Amino acid sequence: MFSKQYFENLEQKGVLRALAIGLVLAVMVFFAANVTTNTQLVVGVGGLVILAVLRMIKFKNAEDIRVVYLSIAAFLSIDYFFWRTFTTLTYYDLLSFSIAILLYLAEMYGFIVYGLSIFVNIDPLDRKPMPLPDDQREWPTVDILIPTYNEEREILEVTMLAALAIDYPVEKFKVYLCDDGGTDQRCNDSDPNKASSARARRKELKELCEASGAHYVTRAKNVHAKAGNLNNALGQSDGDLVLILDADHIPTVDILKNTTGWFLKDPKMFLVQTPHFFTNPDPIEKNLKTWRKMPSESEMFYKVIQKGLDFWNAAFFCGSAAVLRRSCLLKVGGVVGETITEDAETALTLHSMGYNSAYIDRPMISGLSPETLGGFITQRVRWAQGMIQIFLLKNPLLIRGLSLPQRLCYFSSSFFWFFPFARLVFCIAPVAFLLFSLKIYDSNFIDFLAFAGPHLIATFMVSGYLFGRVRWSFVSELYELMQSVYTMPAILKVFLNPRAPSFNVTAKGEILDRDFVSPLAKPFYALLIINLLAFGAGMLRYMNPSRVHEFATGITMFWAFFNIFILLACLGALLERRQMRSSARMATNIQARLNLGERHIPVEIRDLSNGGMSLAVDAAYEQYLSPEKMVTIEPEADFGYEPGMFHLQIRNLRYRDRTLMIGTQYRHENIDEMKRKIAFVNGSSQRWMDFQMGREENIGVWGSFVYLMASGLRYSLEHVGYGILGKIRKERHNRSVATASSK
């Protein structure tokens, strides 16, 4: 099926598709330069009608219809930006023109990202695993590298034991724990407490590896962060391939069987990347309580964009959950570490040398999202700084060896991270007109309706068409604005010194024992207040009998209202919710037998985690159950896996909808039982796929607006309430301390 001719045809298809798109765009540009307002009204309405019709009708040649659909949408946007560039940038005064140019540049950023997104996602490649040969002697050998710096033993143990339980011939793979927290440098630190802690860590992890069958690796000095750690391990291992797993990324049992076949099929394949799947909500999902209702933020990238990049042979390394060919890595000196996004930089370097990559959309690791907004922002600042470093130091448009589509794909991936500039400009711009009467957008109602209207509507339609099932409308605006306040200063630092950023490890496995208002909230109060003031100023304008600039006032008020809507959702997300469990629980429905000595009780496992499981049982059995009681459980086979028996301790009993629920905690008797448990809980990629599919639902623009508006209002009010209560508690505490001192 996947012959050499197949790959040649795929490459030719991509080139022809790119040439066709280029020709269409050239025609669009010519037309846009000569279109009149009346013509644009007809063309705009007609284009939107065609887009709506194309969405409703099922076509056999869906790929070609996709190109037509996206081309029409691109044409409407090109029309708008020609008009925007040559008609609306009128000079009135220096301050107005300066703000107008900033707004125009923010819009132009959005237009470029939008156009690149259309190109990247013109024909996503849904690549399947390549079967391995029947003769296992032909299978490649694999070294599994787990880099760690400061993660807790419990997190590392789970990942390492899961790696050891992978379904692959035991003589064909080895597991290495690559410890940068126990280096010679750290063990000999001038601070005796730090040195003692590092030596204790090294001893503990080395004993863990010896007991489980993994290999412990460390080095002399902490240089070049994660890239240096991995390269040190590459020098102490010898497998044909390398599977890299972050410390909290627990692999499924089928990860190697689903990825290594492509390296046998294509000798020039240097990378097979798989998605990052998370078993706990990120802070925004947790605080807005969207975890089981809405697709996760990362799914747009991993379920759509990476497939689009794969079509152009530009799917890139994401740092973990990826298999790489050792010989290719050695040709560039290992994992490249000039920037702090060593993963994307390594892929860019190897793509420029003519090697190929692949992306398989099957979640085969389960990881942990940062639990706090502080950890979330730290992670995103690192990503932003690293991708801007790539943009400045290794600009994909200029680097030799890449094809034109690859240049555009990598440019899209790095240029995207300028979004903080655009988001902050869009958030502040309404103030310029409504409060200070600056002329930042010169247009009348008819022209705006003819040019901007079709562009804006088409943008929403394209977003729904490409990403509707995996990214609801306005969610990108929420996430990007939440990040922009803190990533913008970090990006400016990179421009001042592109080599200055350092690698900061993202905290994982944190526990929050109470609700509290995030210390990151203050800038969002300011943004909300100025948009409320701007909206209020617009209301006063409408109360003026003369109603000067009535159209511009109405549009800008709507803009300020949109900002308020997003900022309220931000405030809701900035109320940090308590997170007591250190391991996330995933819903399931597995039949099992609970053993109480001679008595056997049928139960259903309702949810699973690495710490325990919840069981549903008939209330008639309550008399045989009690907290702290030791029991065993034998689950039925799940996704073909026979888990065997596990020892449990009952922690609590409670009723839910007239069903008795038993909360339990694992009590492993040996490391083999723990390994089986980890494979049972985390080993099925099908379970993760089913969970993702259960959240995939396109609720449309209006449905998303209503949902986020309701959530924003509700949780922003809770945020304000907690803030007021917190101040009251603090004042009472201060008064009590002062009273005690006076006595």
Side-chain angles (χ1 to χ4, degrees):
M1 178 180 177
F2 295 99
S3 62
K4 181 179 179 181
Q5 186 64 38
Y6 168 82
F7 290 102
E8 291 177 352
N9 291 340
L10 186 63
E11 183 177 358
Q12 292 171 4
K13 179 182 177 183
V15 172
L16 291 173
R17 188 68 55 84
L19 290 174
I21 293 170
L23 180 61
V24 170
L25 289 176
V27 173
M28 292 178 182
V29 170
F30 176 79
F31 181 87
N34 297 280
V35 72
T36 63
T37 300
N38 291 335
T39 304
Q40 176 60 22
L41 276 171
V42 176
V43 170
V45 173
L48 294 176
V49 169
I50 293 173
L51 292 180
V53 171
L54 290 176
R55 286 295 300 273
M56 291 187 295
I57 300 176
K58 301 291 185 182
F59 293 92
K60 290 184 178 180
N61 53 338
E63 292 180 358
D64 292 332
I65 295 302
R66 183 186 183 92
V67 174
V68 172
Y69 186 95
L70 295 177
S71 297
I72 292 172
F75 169 69
L76 295 176
S77 294
I78 289 173
D79 259 6
Y80 167 72
F81 271 92
F82 257 87
W83 169 79
R84 178 79 171 92
T85 302
F86 297 108
T87 306
T88 65
L89 296 175
T90 306
Y91 184 90
Y92 289 98
D93 59 77
L94 181 60
L95 184 57
S96 292
F97 190 69
S98 299
I99 302 300
I101 290 298
L102 284 176
L103 177 59
Y104 173 76
L105 291 175
E107 283 192 74
M108 183 55 69
Y109 160 84
F111 174 64
I112 293 172
V113 169
Y114 174 61
L116 289 170
S117 178
I118 288 176
F119 174 79
V120 167
N121 297 290
I122 199 72
D123 190 8
L125 179 59
D126 191 13
R127 190 189 296 262
K128 303 301 180 185
M130 177 65 64
L132 286 161
D134 293 334
D135 188 352
Q136 292 187 358
R137 291 175 298 179
E138 299 180 24
W139 295 13
T141 56
V142 184
D143 292 324
I144 302 175
L145 307 184
I146 306 171
T148 175
Y149 180 68
N150 60 359
E151 292 81 5
E152 297 293 331
R153 173 201 164 109
E154 289 74 16
I155 291 176
L156 297 172
E157 185 174 30
V158 170
T159 302
M160 192 170 64
L161 291 177
L164 289 164
I166 289 175
D167 184 15
Y168 204 74
V170 291
E171 71 278 6
K172 288 286 186 176
F173 77 99
K174 297 177 183 177
V175 177
Y176 294 82
L177 187 65
C178 313
D179 181 26
D180 246 12
T183 58
D184 295 344
Q185 177 184 342
R186 290 178 62 83
C187 288
N188 297 310
D189 195 282
S190 58
D191 184 330
N193 292 327
K194 290 182 178 179
S196 175
S197 177
R199 287 194 292 269
R201 175 187 173 87
R202 177 190 280 194
K203 181 176 183 294
E204 180 183 33
L205 295 184
K206 194 171 183 179
E207 290 175 351
L208 174 63
C209 290
E210 290 173 352
S212 62
H215 302 268
Y216 178 83
V217 175
T218 189
R219 53 181 174 150
K221 294 183 178 181
N222 299 81
V223 291
H224 302 303
K226 181 180 177 180
N229 189 5
L230 290 170
N231 290 337
N232 174 69
L234 285 173
Q236 301 185 50
S237 55
D238 58 4
D240 302 320
L241 308 176
V242 177
L243 167 62
I244 297 177
L245 299 171
D246 278 351
D248 61 299
H249 281 188
I250 307 169
T252 60
V253 295
D254 57 351
I255 187 169
L256 291 182
K257 285 186 175 179
N258 287 334
T259 53
T260 54
W262 278 104
F263 292 93
L264 297 179
K265 181 64 183 178
D266 182 3
K268 298 191 70 176
M269 185 72 68
F270 79 88
L271 165 74
V272 175
Q273 179 67 55
T274 71
H276 291 188
F277 169 77
F278 303 102
T279 55
N280 68 317
D282 67 38
I284 297 175
E285 291 171 323
K286 180 187 67 177
N287 298 339
L288 291 179
K289 300 182 180 180
T290 64
W291 168 237
R292 299 189 185 278
K293 303 173 185 176
M294 184 177 74
S296 184
E297 183 234 4
S298 63
E299 288 181 28
M300 185 173 88
F301 176 73
Y302 285 113
K303 297 193 77 65
V304 180
I305 295 175
Q306 273 280 48
K307 290 182 180 180
L309 294 171
D310 195 19
F311 175 79
W312 301 111
N313 191 24
F316 61 83
F317 178 29
C318 298
S320 178
V323 182
L324 298 100
R325 193 186 298 271
R326 175 187 297 274
S327 60
C328 293
L329 285 174
L330 295 180
K331 287 185 178 180
V332 294
V335 178
V336 183
E338 189 174 353
T339 70
I340 58 173
T341 45
E342 75 294 324
D343 41 16
E345 183 187 357
T346 300
L348 174 64
T349 304
L350 286 167
H351 272 133
S352 70
M353 295 174 65
Y355 292 104
N356 302 325
S357 66
Y359 176 73
I360 297 175
D361 179 27
R362 187 177 184 92
M364 290 178 282
I365 63 95
S366 53
L368 294 174
S369 294
E371 284 81 4
T372 65
L373 283 165
F376 177 82
I377 294 299
T378 297
Q379 180 189 68
R380 300 311 168 94
V381 165
R382 185 180 76 240
W383 293 357
Q385 288 187 315
M387 295 307 287
I388 299 300
Q389 281 184 301
I390 288 177
F391 181 85
L392 296 174
L393 299 175
K394 298 191 173 184
N395 193 302
L397 296 179
L398 304 178
I399 193 170
R400 292 182 178 180
L402 296 177
S403 67
L404 177 59
Q406 286 176 321
R407 293 178 190 277
L408 293 175
C409 288
Y410 272 104
F411 179 78
S412 174
S413 298
S414 56
F415 186 73
F416 163 79
W417 286 94
F418 286 98
F419 70 78
F421 163 75
R423 287 291 168 215
L424 292 177
V425 169
F426 290 145
C427 196
I428 297 172
V431 179
F433 176 75
L434 294 174
L435 281 181
F436 302 107
S437 300
L438 299 179
K439 299 175 176 61
I440 60 174
Y441 195 111
D442 189 13
S443 173
N444 58 48
F445 174 72
I446 297 298
D447 283 352
F448 186 87
L449 181 66
F451 288 92
H455 159 68
L456 292 172
I457 295 172
T459 300
F460 277 109
M461 294 178 75
V462 167
S463 179
Y465 180 72
L466 293 178
F467 313 118
R469 296 189 65 84
V470 296
R471 174 65 60 85
W472 290 359
S473 298
F474 312 114
V475 171
S476 292
E477 286 78 0
L478 169 62
Y479 271 84
E480 289 176 10
L481 184 56
M482 292 277 303
Q483 299 172 62
S484 295
V485 172
Y486 295 98
T487 52
M488 188 66 197
I491 289 172
L492 291 176
K493 289 180 181 178
V494 178
F495 268 90
L496 294 175
N497 185 354
R499 301 183 188 277
S502 58
F503 191 101
N504 294 316
V505 177
T506 305
K508 300 289 183 66
E510 297 175 285
I511 297 177
L512 306 181
D513 59 1
R514 62 185 176 86
D515 295 350
F516 63 94
V517 173
S518 171
L520 303 177
K522 290 182 180 179
F524 297 92
Y525 298 152
L527 291 173
L528 179 60
I529 289 170
I530 64 174
N531 275 277
L532 286 169
L533 289 173
F535 189 82
M539 294 293 293
L540 292 175
R541 284 179 181 235
Y542 264 97
M543 294 171 63
N544 188 328
S546 63
R547 291 196 176 184
V548 180
H549 304 302
E550 183 175 5
F551 159 69
T553 299
I555 290 294
T556 315
M557 283 180 64
F558 180 80
W559 184 356
F561 172 78
F562 177 80
N563 288 342
I564 293 167
F565 150 63
I566 295 295
L567 285 163
L568 287 175
C570 289
L571 288 189
L574 285 158
L575 174 60
E576 295 269 30
R577 308 281 178 179
R578 66 198 301 235
Q579 174 78 26
M580 296 299 292
R581 284 195 178 120
S582 59
S583 57
R585 295 212 166 193
M586 297 294 292
T588 186
N589 55 349
I590 304 170
Q591 301 302 313
R593 186 178 71 176
L594 191 67
N595 302 318
L596 307 171
E598 298 295 323
R599 191 176 301 278
H600 308 293
I601 300 175
V603 297
E604 180 179 84
I605 302 174
R606 291 287 180 86
D607 65 46
L608 282 170
S609 77
N610 289 314
M613 58 176 71
S614 290
L615 313 175
V617 63
D618 191 300
Y621 293 108
E622 183 177 8
Q623 59 182 311
Y624 306 111
L625 304 167
S626 62
E628 309 308 319
K629 189 179 184 67
M630 298 299 298
V631 298
T632 62
I633 191 169
E634 297 178 64
E636 291 183 358
D638 186 43
F639 299 115
Y641 178 74
E642 294 283 354
M645 183 181 69
F646 301 119
H647 291 80
L648 302 174
Q649 183 176 24
I650 297 176
R651 304 301 296 171
N652 57 71
L653 302 171
R654 64 194 186 282
Y655 280 93
R656 183 191 301 168
D657 298 329
R658 299 183 180 180
T659 299
L660 180 62
M661 301 299 300
I662 311 172
T664 68
Q665 191 171 7
Y666 296 110
R667 289 290 182 256
H668 319 106
E669 291 202 338
N670 51 55
I671 198 167
D672 178 66
E673 182 179 341
M674 185 176 181
K675 189 186 296 185
R676 286 189 293 103
K677 179 265 296 188
I678 291 170
F680 175 57
V681 175
N682 307 280
S684 170
S685 58
Q686 186 61 49
R687 179 181 294 150
W688 305 146
M689 290 180 67
D690 290 348
F691 177 79
Q692 287 183 324
M693 291 174 63
R695 295 188 302 188
E696 289 183 12
E697 181 184 7
N698 189 349
I699 65 173
V701 175
W702 179 246
S704 181
F705 177 82
V706 171
Y707 180 83
L708 287 178
M709 173 63 82
S711 297
L713 284 172
R714 175 183 175 182
Y715 297 125
S716 61
L717 289 174
E718 286 190 21
H719 175 121
V720 173
Y722 269 90
I724 294 172
L725 288 173
K727 287 184 178 180
I728 292 173
R729 292 192 192 101
K730 187 175 181 180
E731 289 175 1
R732 287 177 178 173
H733 175 73
N734 291 339
R735 284 199 298 268
S736 64
V737 170
T739 302
S741 299
S742 64
K743 292 180 179 180

